[in-house]
Amino acid sequence: MTEPLISVRDLTVRFDTYAGVVHALNGISFDIYPGEIFGLVGETGCGKSVTGLSLLRLVPPPGEICGGRILFHGQDLLTKNEAEMRDIRGGRIAMIFQDPSAALNPVFTIGEQIELIIRQHHPVSREQARRRAVETLHAVGMPEPERILTTYPHQLSGGMQQRAMIAMALSSGAELLIADEPTTALDVTIQAQILDLLTHLKQTQGIAILLITHDLGVVAETCDRVAVLYAGLIVETGPTASVFQAIKHPYTQGLLAAIPRPGSHGQQLQSIPGTVPSGLNPLPGCPFHPRCGFAMDVCRQHRPDLLPTDQAHWVACHLYSDSPLPNLGEGVGVRAT
Ligand code: SF4
């Protein structure tokens, strides 16, 4: 059995703000295996980006990782010193963001930036770094990689900038790529190209990818496994195929109903009424209960555990606490507006 590349256990993150303590992550656990794309999906404010930043120990102040373990190759990243973490960041674990133009340095060429990363993490000559930069630009589908080396970020389109960011991750030899909404700022055709590229790199280079997205459609097309995050908790997780075959959690149902479908032109999309709770005052019971059309008394008092409904598909919802499992039918498990 393959060992996980990274195992997150009971990860807890808080932000100590003037308004009070914000509970951003409330003890989440998941594994990512080599050569898979693991999707983390949920609405804005549910804790997705904080999870990505936590894996690199880059949660900005006043945020703090206050519990749990992040085991990378079995070693807890939370016990590493800063020098060791600098080596891991951008070297063995890389991150790309929604807006690549903000992550690229505008005063250096793409070639200079990629070569710098290669030389930071590998003892190679300038010429070797340049050759490797050309190879990685080619691997991410950049036309004329030699010419791209001499361009500045502003001379590239958003899609090409994102490819350059992915090239940087590859050139350093990253084993895990954290991709935080990497296609949200791109137009639809380019989005599809970048998602195809991530799938291609997973297959050809064996890189593992944590794909953070608000879009369940992106997950369906791209991810091998998925975890649905709500209010800093994983509420449903499993292999993408089995989750989509039988979505169980009312929140995941709501996310699915919000995806535009082919042929649904003119039909109103369903949105989930209400908003993700702020995390300042965690609700008792299931955090989704104020928005859930299936909420029962027990939901308002007791938080449901994440439990298996079959071998690999887990869900945190009182509807599934007892067998036989209830049939939710065709409806969407959110409160009517
Ligand atoms: Fe939460 Fe209850 Fe709704 Fe399940 S049925 S999502 S436990 S409120």
Side-chain angles (χ1 to χ4, degrees), residues 249-250 286 288-289 292 294-296 299 304 317-319:
H249 199 283
C286 169
F288 190 58
H289 80 251
C292 180
F294 298 103
M296 305 166 280
C299 306
C317 173
H318 288 303
L319 290 172

Side-chain angles (χ1 to χ4, degrees), residues 225-261:
R225 292 187 305 121
V226 59
V228 181
L229 203 57
Y230 187 77
L233 290 163
I234 290 178
V235 297
E236 185 159 13
T237 185
T240 308
S242 94
V243 169
F244 274 82
Q245 229 166 38
I247 286 183
K248 296 205 161 17
H249 199 283
Y251 177 61
T252 320
Q253 288 191 344
L255 290 179
L256 185 70
I259 303 175
R261 289 156 206 268

